[in-house]
Amino acid sequence: MTKPDAWGESLAECRRLDREDLLTPLSRQFLIARTLIYLDGHSLGPLTRSASAAVQRTVRGEWGPMIIGGWNEADWIGLPARTAARIAPLIGATPEETACADSVSVNLFKLAAGALALRPERGTILMVEGEFPTDGYILQGLARLRPDIRLKTVPAPELTQALDSDTALLVSSHADYRTGALADLRGLSQAAAAVGALSLWDLSHTTGLAAIDLNEAGADMAVGCGYKYLCGGPGAPAFAFLARRHHAGFLNPIAGWMGHARPFDFEANYAPATGADRLMAGTPPILSMAALNAALDLFDGVAPQALLARSRALSSLFERLTAPMAKAHGFTLVSPADPERRGGHLAYTHPEGYPIMQALIAAGVVGDFRAPDLIRFGFSPLVVSRSQVWTAAKTFASVMENGLWRDPAFSQRQKVT
Ligand SMILES: *Cc1c(COP(=O)(O)O)cnc(C)c1O
């Protein structure tokens, strides 16, 4: 497929490949402007028809007429478990091992603090350097509560070597949020287990994108995001995984009533629910949960292997089409050059990354910027087509060649980048 001429792959060829791709018709499930090229599904997935309808239904058909009766009549109380059961097959877990609740940050705290209690004789949490900031902040906060615990950060390639008999817990993202580089989920989970440590994975950047098999990998715990590839909507509930072998001994440090074995017995003392249900804390956000649950229709009957394969084909196409221009204009690709080693997005560094991305967004190609100098283009496999990638690459080239990004308006920093 690689051709010496970057633009050698014609738009017609992209269109032909789109027509042949069995995943292409699934893009009709999104309510998204036809003119918009959305390369930001790795940050916030777009609205699906199904999620939109579910929110309308929940508001008008349930909340309105049923009010408090909705907890029973519409089984809102069972919605977190029903949603978790739909996420479970995407991560290689059973429904009993999966909970849908809170944010990634909060779930990470619950699992990490609970993990330390499972390894009381050990004093180190090992984390990969440059981890997504909230993960680091949460673990730093936990270490302040537990002065006997040391948080040790090492570069990704040194993780295995840094595991030792004092390691209680290894925390790592499956895909690096900056570069998209994939970690060896199975190898690291096994290496942690070999020294008696537990593994806790952050699957935010791979759930709904890659085939993940936590149980096959021997992972102990995981958290992940509902609003990225899962398309659950802004601030959608996150999920948490706790392997069955830890169910008996694990205590949730945020021991809320929704994680109690019998919340409506109103007992004075806490007794954990069975399985991952004990990872719940407070009352679930029903409107958000309804959106996430319905968005998961996207994955019915789709093989996860096909998703990552399509995403990699798209990112490779973008990388090839933009390579000469990117080189000429001082961009450095920081994602793995080998598509087999990357997740769903490509990242480039450029000192003027912020205004360049703003100019691209103004031109209808939405990616994102991460401080200090990273621009990211996400290839959400159900959202983006090859012909859109072609147009995005063309637009990128024209923004650079015409210097459109130099307009001072594009340098105005917004709160969310
Ligand atoms: C998006 C993301 C999060 C989000 O955390 P929230 O607490 O749900 O806002 C956490 N970790 C990683 C690696 C992410 O990519």
Side-chain angles (χ1 to χ4, degrees), residues 183-211:
D184 178 3
L185 194 143
R186 186 172 199 280
L188 277 166
S189 300
Q190 303 278 322
V195 300
L198 298 169
S199 52
L200 198 178
W201 290 93
D202 188 334
L203 307 175
S204 293
H205 272 285
T206 45
T207 312
L209 170 76

PDB file of all heavy atoms in Angstrom, residues 183-211:
ATOM      1  N   ALA A 183       0.672  -0.449  25.972  1.00  0.00           N
ATOM      2  CA  ALA A 183       1.489  -1.209  26.922  1.00  0.00           C
ATOM      3  C   ALA A 183       1.177  -2.696  26.754  1.00  0.00           C
ATOM      4  O   ALA A 183       0.131  -3.065  26.232  1.00  0.00           O
ATOM      5  CB  ALA A 183       1.164  -0.759  28.333  1.00  0.00           C
ATOM      6  N   ASP A 184       2.085  -3.520  27.207  1.00  0.00           N
ATOM      7  CA  ASP A 184       1.898  -4.974  27.153  1.00  0.00           C
ATOM      8  C   ASP A 184       1.063  -5.396  28.361  1.00  0.00           C
ATOM      9  O   ASP A 184       1.589  -5.727  29.420  1.00  0.00           O
ATOM     10  CB  ASP A 184       3.279  -5.646  27.167  1.00  0.00           C
ATOM     11  CG  ASP A 184       3.171  -7.171  27.156  1.00  0.00           C
ATOM     12  OD1 ASP A 184       2.040  -7.700  27.080  1.00  0.00           O
ATOM     13  OD2 ASP A 184       4.228  -7.822  27.223  1.00  0.00           O
ATOM     14  N   LEU A 185      -0.255  -5.380  28.174  1.00  0.00           N
ATOM     15  CA  LEU A 185      -1.177  -5.619  29.278  1.00  0.00           C
ATOM     16  C   LEU A 185      -0.934  -6.990  29.914  1.00  0.00           C
ATOM     17  O   LEU A 185      -0.839  -7.126  31.125  1.00  0.00           O
ATOM     18  CB  LEU A 185      -2.612  -5.497  28.750  1.00  0.00           C
ATOM     19  CG  LEU A 185      -3.729  -5.381  29.777  1.00  0.00           C
ATOM     20  CD1 LEU A 185      -4.800  -4.425  29.287  1.00  0.00           C
ATOM     21  CD2 LEU A 185      -4.366  -6.705  30.083  1.00  0.00           C
ATOM     22  N   ARG A 186      -0.778  -7.984  29.065  1.00  0.00           N
ATOM     23  CA  ARG A 186      -0.609  -9.335  29.569  1.00  0.00           C
ATOM     24  C   ARG A 186       0.761  -9.510  30.231  1.00  0.00           C
ATOM     25  O   ARG A 186       0.869  -9.986  31.361  1.00  0.00           O
ATOM     26  CB  ARG A 186      -0.777 -10.334  28.423  1.00  0.00           C
ATOM     27  CG  ARG A 186      -0.764 -11.754  28.858  1.00  0.00           C
ATOM     28  CD  ARG A 186      -1.130 -12.695  27.695  1.00  0.00           C
ATOM     29  NE  ARG A 186      -1.533 -13.975  28.221  1.00  0.00           N
ATOM     30  CZ  ARG A 186      -0.682 -14.904  28.623  1.00  0.00           C
ATOM     31  NH1 ARG A 186       0.624 -14.691  28.530  1.00  0.00           N
ATOM     32  NH2 ARG A 186      -1.110 -16.041  29.107  1.00  0.00           N
ATOM     33  N   GLY A 187       1.809  -9.059  29.524  1.00  0.00           N
ATOM     34  CA  GLY A 187       3.172  -9.231  30.027  1.00  0.00           C
ATOM     35  C   GLY A 187       3.369  -8.547  31.373  1.00  0.00           C
ATOM     36  O   GLY A 187       3.949  -9.126  32.301  1.00  0.00           O
ATOM     37  N   LEU A 188       2.859  -7.317  31.498  1.00  0.00           N
ATOM     38  CA  LEU A 188       3.051  -6.572  32.748  1.00  0.00           C
ATOM     39  C   LEU A 188       2.182  -7.122  33.877  1.00  0.00           C
ATOM     40  O   LEU A 188       2.609  -7.151  35.031  1.00  0.00           O
ATOM     41  CB  LEU A 188       2.756  -5.087  32.531  1.00  0.00           C
ATOM     42  CG  LEU A 188       3.920  -4.284  31.939  1.00  0.00           C
ATOM     43  CD1 LEU A 188       3.438  -2.921  31.450  1.00  0.00           C
ATOM     44  CD2 LEU A 188       5.036  -4.105  32.974  1.00  0.00           C
ATOM     45  N   SER A 189       0.966  -7.562  33.529  1.00  0.00           N
ATOM     46  CA  SER A 189       0.106  -8.158  34.569  1.00  0.00           C
ATOM     47  C   SER A 189       0.772  -9.408  35.122  1.00  0.00           C
ATOM     48  O   SER A 189       0.779  -9.651  36.339  1.00  0.00           O
ATOM     49  CB  SER A 189      -1.268  -8.528  33.994  1.00  0.00           C
ATOM     50  OG  SER A 189      -1.918  -7.390  33.499  1.00  0.00           O
ATOM     51  N   GLN A 190       1.344 -10.199  34.218  1.00  0.00           N
ATOM     52  CA  GLN A 190       2.012 -11.437  34.634  1.00  0.00           C
ATOM     53  C   GLN A 190       3.276 -11.133  35.440  1.00  0.00           C
ATOM     54  O   GLN A 190       3.565 -11.790  36.431  1.00  0.00           O
ATOM     55  CB  GLN A 190       2.391 -12.272  33.401  1.00  0.00           C
ATOM     56  CG  GLN A 190       1.220 -12.617  32.493  1.00  0.00           C
ATOM     57  CD  GLN A 190       0.424 -13.816  32.993  1.00  0.00           C
ATOM     58  OE1 GLN A 190       1.005 -14.754  33.505  1.00  0.00           O
ATOM     59  NE2 GLN A 190      -0.880 -13.769  32.859  1.00  0.00           N
ATOM     60  N   ALA A 191       4.025 -10.107  35.007  1.00  0.00           N
ATOM     61  CA  ALA A 191       5.258  -9.737  35.725  1.00  0.00           C
ATOM     62  C   ALA A 191       4.922  -9.247  37.131  1.00  0.00           C
ATOM     63  O   ALA A 191       5.625  -9.560  38.097  1.00  0.00           O
ATOM     64  CB  ALA A 191       6.022  -8.675  34.947  1.00  0.00           C
ATOM     65  N   ALA A 192       3.825  -8.484  37.252  1.00  0.00           N
ATOM     66  CA  ALA A 192       3.408  -8.023  38.581  1.00  0.00           C
ATOM     67  C   ALA A 192       3.035  -9.224  39.453  1.00  0.00           C
ATOM     68  O   ALA A 192       3.485  -9.340  40.597  1.00  0.00           O
ATOM     69  CB  ALA A 192       2.227  -7.061  38.458  1.00  0.00           C
ATOM     70  N   ALA A 193       2.225 -10.116  38.875  1.00  0.00           N
ATOM     71  CA  ALA A 193       1.790 -11.294  39.632  1.00  0.00           C
ATOM     72  C   ALA A 193       2.992 -12.130  40.077  1.00  0.00           C
ATOM     73  O   ALA A 193       3.000 -12.682  41.176  1.00  0.00           O
ATOM     74  CB  ALA A 193       0.829 -12.131  38.795  1.00  0.00           C
ATOM     75  N   ALA A 194       4.028 -12.192  39.224  1.00  0.00           N
ATOM     76  CA  ALA A 194       5.194 -13.027  39.532  1.00  0.00           C
ATOM     77  C   ALA A 194       5.939 -12.546  40.783  1.00  0.00           C
ATOM     78  O   ALA A 194       6.571 -13.346  41.465  1.00  0.00           O
ATOM     79  CB  ALA A 194       6.148 -13.061  38.332  1.00  0.00           C
ATOM     80  N   VAL A 195       5.846 -11.238  41.103  1.00  0.00           N
ATOM     81  CA  VAL A 195       6.484 -10.770  42.342  1.00  0.00           C
ATOM     82  C   VAL A 195       5.450 -10.581  43.458  1.00  0.00           C
ATOM     83  O   VAL A 195       5.747 -10.012  44.504  1.00  0.00           O
ATOM     84  CB  VAL A 195       7.280  -9.446  42.134  1.00  0.00           C
ATOM     85  CG1 VAL A 195       8.382  -9.625  41.102  1.00  0.00           C
ATOM     86  CG2 VAL A 195       6.358  -8.287  41.756  1.00  0.00           C
ATOM     87  N   GLY A 196       4.240 -11.042  43.212  1.00  0.00           N
ATOM     88  CA  GLY A 196       3.204 -10.961  44.254  1.00  0.00           C
ATOM     89  C   GLY A 196       2.507  -9.615  44.318  1.00  0.00           C
ATOM     90  O   GLY A 196       1.775  -9.333  45.269  1.00  0.00           O
ATOM     91  N   ALA A 197       2.736  -8.762  43.303  1.00  0.00           N
ATOM     92  CA  ALA A 197       2.073  -7.451  43.284  1.00  0.00           C
ATOM     93  C   ALA A 197       0.749  -7.546  42.522  1.00  0.00           C
ATOM     94  O   ALA A 197       0.537  -8.485  41.754  1.00  0.00           O
ATOM     95  CB  ALA A 197       2.978  -6.422  42.617  1.00  0.00           C
ATOM     96  N   LEU A 198      -0.121  -6.568  42.740  1.00  0.00           N
ATOM     97  CA  LEU A 198      -1.381  -6.493  41.995  1.00  0.00           C
ATOM     98  C   LEU A 198      -1.214  -5.524  40.834  1.00  0.00           C
ATOM     99  O   LEU A 198      -0.383  -4.618  40.885  1.00  0.00           O
ATOM    100  CB  LEU A 198      -2.499  -6.009  42.929  1.00  0.00           C
ATOM    101  CG  LEU A 198      -2.791  -6.920  44.123  1.00  0.00           C
ATOM    102  CD1 LEU A 198      -3.714  -6.215  45.118  1.00  0.00           C
ATOM    103  CD2 LEU A 198      -3.417  -8.231  43.660  1.00  0.00           C
ATOM    104  N   SER A 199      -2.034  -5.722  39.785  1.00  0.00           N
ATOM    105  CA  SER A 199      -1.986  -4.809  38.642  1.00  0.00           C
ATOM    106  C   SER A 199      -3.308  -4.076  38.509  1.00  0.00           C
ATOM    107  O   SER A 199      -4.384  -4.667  38.690  1.00  0.00           O
ATOM    108  CB  SER A 199      -1.689  -5.588  37.358  1.00  0.00           C
ATOM    109  OG  SER A 199      -2.593  -6.677  37.218  1.00  0.00           O
ATOM    110  N   LEU A 200      -3.222  -2.778  38.228  1.00  0.00           N
ATOM    111  CA  LEU A 200      -4.413  -1.943  38.043  1.00  0.00           C
ATOM    112  C   LEU A 200      -4.240  -1.178  36.735  1.00  0.00           C
ATOM    113  O   LEU A 200      -3.321  -0.362  36.611  1.00  0.00           O
ATOM    114  CB  LEU A 200      -4.544  -0.972  39.221  1.00  0.00           C
ATOM    115  CG  LEU A 200      -5.888  -0.288  39.496  1.00  0.00           C
ATOM    116  CD1 LEU A 200      -5.789   0.593  40.739  1.00  0.00           C
ATOM    117  CD2 LEU A 200      -6.464   0.492  38.371  1.00  0.00           C
ATOM    118  N   TRP A 201      -5.108  -1.464  35.779  1.00  0.00           N
ATOM    119  CA  TRP A 201      -4.992  -0.866  34.445  1.00  0.00           C
ATOM    120  C   TRP A 201      -5.979   0.257  34.242  1.00  0.00           C
ATOM    121  O   TRP A 201      -7.128   0.157  34.653  1.00  0.00           O
ATOM    122  CB  TRP A 201      -5.219  -1.956  33.379  1.00  0.00           C
ATOM    123  CG  TRP A 201      -4.078  -2.907  33.349  1.00  0.00           C
ATOM    124  CD1 TRP A 201      -3.976  -4.087  34.034  1.00  0.00           C
ATOM    125  CD2 TRP A 201      -2.854  -2.732  32.647  1.00  0.00           C
ATOM    126  NE1 TRP A 201      -2.759  -4.652  33.786  1.00  0.00           N
ATOM    127  CE2 TRP A 201      -2.051  -3.846  32.937  1.00  0.00           C
ATOM    128  CE3 TRP A 201      -2.358  -1.743  31.797  1.00  0.00           C
ATOM    129  CZ2 TRP A 201      -0.765  -3.997  32.405  1.00  0.00           C
ATOM    130  CZ3 TRP A 201      -1.094  -1.885  31.264  1.00  0.00           C
ATOM    131  CH2 TRP A 201      -0.304  -3.007  31.576  1.00  0.00           C
ATOM    132  N   ASP A 202      -5.523   1.304  33.577  1.00  0.00           N
ATOM    133  CA  ASP A 202      -6.420   2.371  33.146  1.00  0.00           C
ATOM    134  C   ASP A 202      -6.697   2.156  31.662  1.00  0.00           C
ATOM    135  O   ASP A 202      -5.815   2.333  30.820  1.00  0.00           O
ATOM    136  CB  ASP A 202      -5.796   3.749  33.407  1.00  0.00           C
ATOM    137  CG  ASP A 202      -6.798   4.875  33.140  1.00  0.00           C
ATOM    138  OD1 ASP A 202      -7.717   4.664  32.329  1.00  0.00           O
ATOM    139  OD2 ASP A 202      -6.642   5.947  33.746  1.00  0.00           O
ATOM    140  N   LEU A 203      -7.927   1.747  31.372  1.00  0.00           N
ATOM    141  CA  LEU A 203      -8.305   1.381  29.997  1.00  0.00           C
ATOM    142  C   LEU A 203      -9.028   2.516  29.272  1.00  0.00           C
ATOM    143  O   LEU A 203      -9.699   2.286  28.261  1.00  0.00           O
ATOM    144  CB  LEU A 203      -9.220   0.146  30.026  1.00  0.00           C
ATOM    145  CG  LEU A 203      -8.702  -1.070  30.795  1.00  0.00           C
ATOM    146  CD1 LEU A 203      -9.779  -2.166  30.836  1.00  0.00           C
ATOM    147  CD2 LEU A 203      -7.438  -1.620  30.144  1.00  0.00           C
ATOM    148  N   SER A 204      -8.879   3.744  29.797  1.00  0.00           N
ATOM    149  CA  SER A 204      -9.642   4.866  29.238  1.00  0.00           C
ATOM    150  C   SER A 204      -9.454   5.023  27.742  1.00  0.00           C
ATOM    151  O   SER A 204     -10.387   5.335  27.018  1.00  0.00           O
ATOM    152  CB  SER A 204      -9.246   6.167  29.935  1.00  0.00           C
ATOM    153  OG  SER A 204      -9.667   6.142  31.277  1.00  0.00           O
ATOM    154  N   HIS A 205      -8.230   4.827  27.269  1.00  0.00           N
ATOM    155  CA  HIS A 205      -7.948   5.079  25.859  1.00  0.00           C
ATOM    156  C   HIS A 205      -8.036   3.847  24.968  1.00  0.00           C
ATOM    157  O   HIS A 205      -7.662   3.915  23.803  1.00  0.00           O
ATOM    158  CB  HIS A 205      -6.568   5.739  25.700  1.00  0.00           C
ATOM    159  CG  HIS A 205      -6.637   7.230  25.798  1.00  0.00           C
ATOM    160  ND1 HIS A 205      -7.130   8.014  24.782  1.00  0.00           N
ATOM    161  CD2 HIS A 205      -6.320   8.076  26.795  1.00  0.00           C
ATOM    162  CE1 HIS A 205      -7.096   9.280  25.147  1.00  0.00           C
ATOM    163  NE2 HIS A 205      -6.617   9.344  26.372  1.00  0.00           N
ATOM    164  N   THR A 206      -8.531   2.724  25.499  1.00  0.00           N
ATOM    165  CA  THR A 206      -8.647   1.540  24.639  1.00  0.00           C
ATOM    166  C   THR A 206     -10.017   0.852  24.697  1.00  0.00           C
ATOM    167  O   THR A 206     -10.332   0.081  23.788  1.00  0.00           O
ATOM    168  CB  THR A 206      -7.557   0.488  24.966  1.00  0.00           C
ATOM    169  OG1 THR A 206      -7.479   0.338  26.380  1.00  0.00           O
ATOM    170  CG2 THR A 206      -6.219   0.900  24.397  1.00  0.00           C
ATOM    171  N   THR A 207     -10.828   1.162  25.723  1.00  0.00           N
ATOM    172  CA  THR A 207     -12.128   0.485  25.797  1.00  0.00           C
ATOM    173  C   THR A 207     -13.029   0.960  24.653  1.00  0.00           C
ATOM    174  O   THR A 207     -13.198   2.154  24.454  1.00  0.00           O
ATOM    175  CB  THR A 207     -12.820   0.779  27.141  1.00  0.00           C
ATOM    176  OG1 THR A 207     -11.874   0.567  28.176  1.00  0.00           O
ATOM    177  CG2 THR A 207     -14.016  -0.131  27.334  1.00  0.00           C
ATOM    178  N   GLY A 208     -13.568   0.008  23.904  1.00  0.00           N
ATOM    179  CA  GLY A 208     -14.377   0.344  22.738  1.00  0.00           C
ATOM    180  C   GLY A 208     -13.528   0.554  21.497  1.00  0.00           C
ATOM    181  O   GLY A 208     -14.040   0.901  20.442  1.00  0.00           O
ATOM    182  N   LEU A 209     -12.240   0.344  21.630  1.00  0.00           N
ATOM    183  CA  LEU A 209     -11.321   0.490  20.492  1.00  0.00           C
ATOM    184  C   LEU A 209     -10.576  -0.812  20.226  1.00  0.00           C
ATOM    185  O   LEU A 209     -10.441  -1.236  19.080  1.00  0.00           O
ATOM    186  CB  LEU A 209     -10.295   1.600  20.791  1.00  0.00           C
ATOM    187  CG  LEU A 209      -9.151   1.690  19.785  1.00  0.00           C
ATOM    188  CD1 LEU A 209      -9.643   2.352  18.487  1.00  0.00           C
ATOM    189  CD2 LEU A 209      -7.969   2.482  20.341  1.00  0.00           C
ATOM    190  N   ALA A 210     -10.062  -1.421  21.309  1.00  0.00           N
ATOM    191  CA  ALA A 210      -9.208  -2.597  21.157  1.00  0.00           C
ATOM    192  C   ALA A 210      -9.861  -3.808  21.800  1.00  0.00           C
ATOM    193  O   ALA A 210     -10.690  -3.677  22.700  1.00  0.00           O
ATOM    194  CB  ALA A 210      -7.861  -2.330  21.826  1.00  0.00           C
ATOM    195  N   ALA A 211      -9.475  -4.983  21.344  1.00  0.00           N
ATOM    196  CA  ALA A 211      -9.911  -6.213  21.992  1.00  0.00           C
ATOM    197  C   ALA A 211      -9.109  -6.345  23.286  1.00  0.00           C
ATOM    198  O   ALA A 211      -7.889  -6.468  23.250  1.00  0.00           O
ATOM    199  CB  ALA A 211      -9.645  -7.408  21.083  1.00  0.00           C
TER     200      ALA A 211
END
